Amino acid sequence: MPESFLSFPAIEAISLTKRVADATGELIILHGIDFTVQAGDTLAIVGASGSGKSTLLGLLAGLDTPSAGTVRLGGTDIFEMDEDGRAGLRKERLGFVFQSFQLLGHLNALENVMLPLELRGDAEARSKAEAMLARVGLASRLKHYPKYLSGGEQQRVALARAFVSEPPLLFADEPTGSLDAATGESVIKLMFELNQERNSTLVLVTHDKSIAALCKRTITIAAGRLA
């Protein structure tokens, strides 16, 4: 884990606000959100659909820009960077797990997991990806393309891709939303096992209170405000 993630909070959201224009004028999606996440913590962000949870996650990851306020990751103000700088930070420090998996259809399971390592120029990309896929129970599915994998298998590939580069931060946006209950439970169990093994910081967006209960902390977003 980079030294900055040990000497500073992993995440600081500071007066984070997001406004957008709509047909009726200005819509405030998030109102002055403030919280801190320490390195190694697990945090669930919960709230009703449309409350601003996913918008908040996108801001924390630097995928979107705030109307006011800022985010510090490991002490670094990500909105003092340009988009290239934020992209580089995401490549080095962040892993993502999405509800819709976000696998590349023209790449097989192994190639999908190798991709973040190859982008970093890792000479051991293949061996690390193979080991990670074995860890998530897919050693026999390395050459399968996403369309030939079940939803649970695709999410396991997505977990392997997120963890393979050992990022200090992991963001997960409704990671079981596309899965049945039994498969979702097994995926969540695996995600927390991997997170504990690697001592990463996990921020999880979910509407499922049983999943949120697995995290050390929970914050609730209601109508764009921290409840």
Side-chain angles (χ1 to χ4, degrees), residues 77-134:
D77 188 329
I78 65 174
F79 295 112
E80 288 184 346
M81 300 176 167
D82 60 18
E83 178 49 41
D84 287 343
R86 289 194 294 274
L89 180 143
R90 286 192 295 270
K91 183 174 68 174
E92 293 296 324
R93 298 187 182 181
L94 274 61
F96 295 88
V97 182
F98 299 96
Q99 175 178 337
S100 56
F101 319 134
Q102 298 289 338
L103 300 178
L104 297 178
H106 65 287
L107 300 181
N108 62 33
L110 179 61
E111 291 164 341
N112 265 284
V113 178
M114 286 174 62
L115 185 59
L117 296 173
E118 290 179 323
L119 290 174
R120 292 169 59 168
D122 193 322
E124 299 178 6
R126 176 174 290 271
S127 61
K128 289 180 179 179
E130 288 175 345
M132 196 69 227
L133 282 164

Side-chain angles (χ1 to χ4, degrees), residues 150-200:
S150 69
E153 288 172 332
Q154 289 186 63
Q155 195 59 297
R156 284 171 178 264
V157 174
L159 284 177
R161 182 182 60 188
F163 280 102
V164 72
S165 56
E166 300 189 0
L169 280 175
L170 181 74
F171 291 129
D173 191 2
E174 299 282 7
T176 63
S178 299
L179 306 176
D180 63 78
T183 303
E185 183 177 347
S186 68
V187 165
I188 286 294
K189 180 181 178 182
L190 177 61
M191 184 172 70
F192 276 87
E193 286 176 357
L194 291 170
N195 192 68
Q196 187 173 28
E197 287 172 10
R198 285 156 177 75
N199 194 35
S200 51

Side-chain angles (χ1 to χ4, degrees), residues 35-84:
F35 64 89
T36 298
V37 184
Q38 299 299 329
D41 272 0
T42 52
L43 173 72
I45 302 173
V46 302
S49 178
S51 61
K53 304 187 302 298
S54 292
T55 298
L56 176 57
L57 196 69
L59 291 172
L60 296 177
L63 295 169
D64 192 7
T65 56
S67 304
T70 196
V71 173
R72 294 191 186 120
L73 300 181
T76 299
D77 188 329
I78 65 174
F79 295 112
E80 288 184 346
M81 300 176 167
D82 60 18
E83 178 49 41
D84 287 343

